[in-house]
């Protein structure tokens, strides 16, 4: 490979359209053209002078954007839904480029969700070995004992997986309603992790919200509200992910 040539999927990811893995899928789906010719093979090499298009749109025309969304409950963390339910990208109508969520929050979970077209950053943030701390606040049924709270830090088993929180705090209890509010900090991002952990100690979630993602929080936003990240925040996020290497 000459010095100025890189693999097609890498060129697409670097332009910020999507992650490298998704770029491979786009190529295989026949959605990528190089100099006007559809390419479905992985691994061909391209240089700066090649004209690359994804779905007929030249890739290097897209600016890289990063949004922080306060996802409301009742919205899917995806770019489309076969059942026609509302998806998170619809909440950011003024994005002129195709963006996608970094990881996911469940349909019924509210809170902080990042959306971007920055494939490299998204891949870094989602990588299991670079998980930055995420803080969740859960309202649960019943009032968990100290022992159970400690168990969440030691780890609980769910469907053959050991799930752990790095910090757990009991924030408040409502004896009359028999509910409690718990704050959990996770360095992992397994599917439905908080719900499964609290289910495993028999205190199922009533309501769940992600309050923080690394140093980022929801200050100044209402559910459904969003803002762009500053260049400084993007750099800080990248640094934090690189530092939290497991
Ligand atoms: N854990 C969950 O159970 N759900 C989410 O949406 C995020 C973390």
């Amino acid at each position: 490979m000459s010095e100025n040539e890189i693999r097609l999927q890498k060129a697409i990811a670097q332009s910020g359209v999507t992650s490298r893995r998704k770029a491979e899928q786009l190529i295989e789906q026949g959605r990528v053209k190089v100099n006007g010719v559809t390419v479905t093979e992985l691994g061909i090499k391209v240089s700066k002078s090649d004209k690359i298009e994804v779905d007929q749109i030249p890739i290097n025309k897209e600016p890289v954007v990063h949004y922080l969304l306060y996802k409301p409950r009742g919205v899917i963390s995806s770019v489309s839904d076969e059942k026609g339910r509302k998806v998170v990208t619809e909440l950011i109508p003024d994005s002129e480029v195709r963006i996608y969520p970094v990881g996911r929050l469940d349909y019924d979970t509210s809170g902080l969700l990042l959306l971007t077209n920055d494939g490299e950053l998204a891949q870094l943030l989602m990588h299991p070995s670079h998980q930055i701390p995420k803080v969740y606040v859960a309202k649960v049924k019943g009032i968990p004992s100290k022992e159970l709270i400690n168990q969440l830090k030691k780890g609980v088993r769910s469907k053959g997986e050991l799930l752990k929180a790095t910090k757990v705090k009991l924030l408040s209890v409502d004896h009359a309603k028999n509910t409690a509010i718990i704050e959990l900090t996770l360095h992992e991002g397994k599917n439905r992790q908080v719900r499964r952990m609290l289910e495993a100690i028999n205190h199922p979630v009533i309501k769940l919200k992600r309050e923080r993602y690394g140093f980022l929080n929801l200050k100044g936003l209402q559910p459904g509200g969003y803002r762009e990240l500053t260049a400084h925040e993007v750099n800080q996020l990248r640094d934090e992910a690189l530092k939290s290497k497991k």
Side-chain angles (χ1 to χ4, degrees):
M1 200 174 351
S2 104
E3 230 180 78
N4 299 323
E5 284 185 320
I6 55 170
R7 286 181 202 285
L8 179 57
Q9 54 268 42
K10 186 169 181 189
I12 296 172
Q14 277 182 351
S15 76
V17 172
T18 186
S19 67
R20 201 178 302 187
R21 199 176 54 79
K22 289 263 166 63
E24 290 175 355
Q25 289 169 0
L26 291 174
I27 297 169
E28 287 174 333
Q29 289 162 2
R31 292 164 63 185
V32 178
K33 281 186 186 166
V34 178
N35 302 325
V37 179
T38 301
V39 171
T40 53
E41 261 169 73
L42 296 179
I44 77 150
K45 282 130 206 171
V46 292
S47 68
K48 283 229 157 64
S49 59
D50 289 311
K51 185 180 167 218
I52 302 162
E53 291 165 86
V54 175
D55 294 336
Q56 265 72 270
I57 300 172
I59 57 165
N60 27 18
K61 291 272 160 62
E62 293 201 342
V64 179
V65 295
H66 308 84
Y67 289 97
L68 185 164
L69 169 72
Y70 185 163
K71 176 193 171 297
R73 283 184 289 156
V75 183
I76 302 273
S77 294
S78 180
V79 295
S80 63
D81 180 55
E82 76 279 4
K83 292 187 194 149
R85 289 169 297 183
K86 195 167 198 155
V87 295
V88 284
T89 44
E90 285 173 54
L91 297 171
I92 307 188
D94 53 343
S95 172
E96 281 160 11
V97 295
R98 289 166 294 199
I99 51 172
Y100 51 89
V102 178
R104 57 190 295 278
L105 288 177
D106 300 332
Y107 183 73
D108 283 326
T109 301
S110 66
L112 200 160
L113 184 67
L114 297 177
L115 293 103
T116 186
N117 60 351
D118 184 339
E120 295 282 334
L121 182 66
Q123 213 166 15
L124 176 66
L125 293 172
M126 286 192 280
H127 199 280
S129 62
H130 289 284
Q131 293 279 322
I132 62 180
K134 286 148 205 142
V135 179
Y136 295 87
V137 174
K139 180 176 182 184
V140 298
K141 265 197 199 158
I143 298 166
S145 64
K146 263 202 186 121
E147 288 71 32
L148 285 178
I149 294 277
N150 277 331
Q151 194 59 49
L152 295 171
K153 287 190 267 185
K154 286 189 206 137
V156 292
R157 289 228 154 252
S158 165
K159 295 183 193 145
E161 276 186 303
L162 186 68
L163 306 175
K164 275 188 200 179
T166 41
K167 277 190 220 155
V168 186
K169 272 193 237 166
L170 185 61
L171 296 183
S172 64
V173 297
D174 185 331
H175 290 285
K177 294 200 175 117
N178 194 32
T179 59
I181 309 279
I182 309 174
E183 182 186 276
L184 301 97
T185 305
L186 304 189
H187 273 83
E188 306 174 322
K190 300 195 177 128
N191 190 30
R192 297 176 67 82
Q193 182 160 348
V194 175
R195 290 176 196 273
R196 285 163 63 201
M197 289 178 75
L198 293 164
E199 189 89 29
I201 61 160
N202 288 319
H203 289 283
V205 165
I206 300 169
K207 241 182 178 181
L208 182 61
K209 177 176 172 189
R210 179 153 72 190
E211 296 250 337
R212 290 208 297 278
Y213 191 103
F215 67 94
L216 295 168
N217 60 41
L218 291 164
K219 251 181 223 151
L221 293 175
Q222 297 296 319
Y226 62 91
R227 68 176 179 87
E228 273 201 69
L229 295 184
T230 64
H232 179 65
E233 285 173 325
V234 173
N235 287 333
Q236 224 179 315
L237 204 51
R238 187 176 294 110
D239 287 350
E240 194 169 351
L242 289 169
K243 261 190 247 144
S244 19
K245 191 164 174 39
K246 271 193 195 164

